[in-house]
Amino acid sequence: MSLINETQIERFEKALWSATRKLSPELTAELSIPLTWQQFYMLYFINDKGTCKVTDLAETMEVKPSAITVMIDRLIKHGVVDRRHDEKDRRVVWIELTDKGRDVLEEVNVSRKKMIRGYMTDVDSKQFETFLRVFEQMNDQITKAHAEHDYAIKLS
């Protein structure tokens, strides 16, 4: 049973959405190429997987493969990913980062850490550690709930 009240939930939502809306454009403003937050997310996913299928990206982004194709076309135009068809099954399309894509991700990582560090200058390290533990616990609960939901969907 949760001891968190409605007002606290609303405060959390408001702060999370406000910070996300403000930080996303700030993070992308100084980069060498114009990419949306969703495109960065795709780059991170592709980087984590090494090489991935278009269908995996669509599933992760919770959109149809046709929508992913448009996003991938833009990433290819910027030179940050390559697309190739599977040698055995031409219906399977593989996506992988280019060297430029890896450079852009590194640029994002450096920019993001600098930005966060700048906003955290007045935050006590112990308070921030407490916040991180709570936020990670929340993320673990969300991940577990999604895994159970995905498993239930696959069974039906």
Side-chain angles (χ1 to χ4, degrees):
M1 184 163 156
S2 177
L3 301 176
I4 298 170
N5 65 45
E6 290 295 317
T7 302
Q8 290 169 316
I9 291 171
E10 289 172 10
R11 286 173 54 206
F12 172 79
E13 287 176 329
K14 184 177 179 182
L16 181 63
W17 284 109
S18 176
T20 302
R21 278 193 319 271
K22 291 171 186 166
L23 293 178
S24 292
E26 185 176 339
L27 179 62
T28 60
E30 296 181 23
L31 297 176
S32 58
I33 60 173
L35 296 176
T36 66
W37 189 248
Q38 292 84 0
Q39 290 168 327
F40 283 119
Y41 182 74
M42 287 177 62
L43 291 181
Y44 278 110
F45 180 80
I46 296 165
N47 188 57
D48 284 346
K49 296 291 182 184
T51 301
C52 65
K53 296 179 192 175
V54 169
T55 52
D56 295 337
L57 277 171
E59 199 173 289
T60 298
M61 302 291 290
E62 299 179 354
V63 297
K64 294 181 180 182
S66 58
I68 284 295
T69 300
V70 172
M71 294 173 78
I72 290 169
D73 288 344
R74 289 183 187 135
L75 294 174
I76 290 170
K77 182 180 176 184
H78 289 298
V80 294
V81 299
D82 280 329
R83 171 178 33 215
R84 65 179 168 80
H85 290 275
D86 190 273
E87 294 174 8
K88 296 179 182 174
D89 185 349
R90 300 266 310 148
R91 295 172 295 177
V92 176
V93 179
W94 294 96
I95 305 298
E96 58 191 350
L97 283 183
T98 63
D99 289 340
K100 183 177 180 180
R102 283 183 275 287
D103 291 344
V104 167
L105 278 181
E106 181 59 28
E107 190 179 351
V108 170
N109 286 332
V110 168
S111 176
R112 185 187 71 234
K113 288 176 184 176
K114 179 181 174 186
M115 182 179 61
I116 291 171
R117 190 172 288 113
Y119 286 120
M120 296 296 152
T121 56
D122 295 332
V123 176
D124 178 72
S125 179
K126 289 181 182 178
Q127 287 179 320
F128 191 60
E129 184 60 36
T130 300
F131 166 77
L132 288 174
R133 279 197 308 273
V134 171
F135 202 70
E136 289 166 345
Q137 180 183 5
M138 184 178 168
N139 184 56
D140 290 345
Q141 290 175 356
I142 292 167
T143 301
K144 181 180 175 188
H146 279 251
E148 290 170 357
H149 175 73
D150 291 344
Y151 180 72
I153 289 173
K154 288 177 183 175
L155 288 178
S156 55

